[in-house]
Amino acid sequence: MENNVLNEMNQVDPNLRDEMLAELFLDQMMNDFKRSKIVEKIDQFLKNKDKEAFLRLTEKLKFIS
């Protein structure tokens, strides 16, 4: 599967390929950042024993890819 993706990427125009890879990288970085911020808030809500906020954020965390 991964080899097929890599082979297809090699057939794409180099400029377009670089743009696509940069976009994937930025998307991943944004998701990582969002995830870390949510985890920080979850930790705060655990310390404050705020069950509703904890449950809301853990649910939100599940949907970040």
Side-chain angles (χ1 to χ4, degrees), residues 45-59:
F45 293 134
L46 279 173
K47 289 177 187 174
N48 296 334
K49 299 180 183 189
D50 186 341
K51 184 178 179 177
E52 286 180 30
F54 168 79
L55 292 174
R56 181 175 40 83
L57 284 177
T58 53
E59 216 30 57

Side-chain angles (χ1 to χ4, degrees), residues 26-60:
L26 289 174
D27 285 346
Q28 184 62 48
M29 296 308 311
M30 287 300 295
N31 284 338
D32 290 349
F33 178 76
K34 289 177 187 176
R35 188 178 299 111
S36 71
K37 289 300 178 187
I38 291 174
V39 169
E40 284 177 18
K41 288 181 182 179
I42 287 172
D43 288 344
Q44 284 178 334
F45 293 134
L46 279 173
K47 289 177 187 174
N48 296 334
K49 299 180 183 189
D50 186 341
K51 184 178 179 177
E52 286 180 30
F54 168 79
L55 292 174
R56 181 175 40 83
L57 284 177
T58 53
E59 216 30 57
K60 188 174 180 179

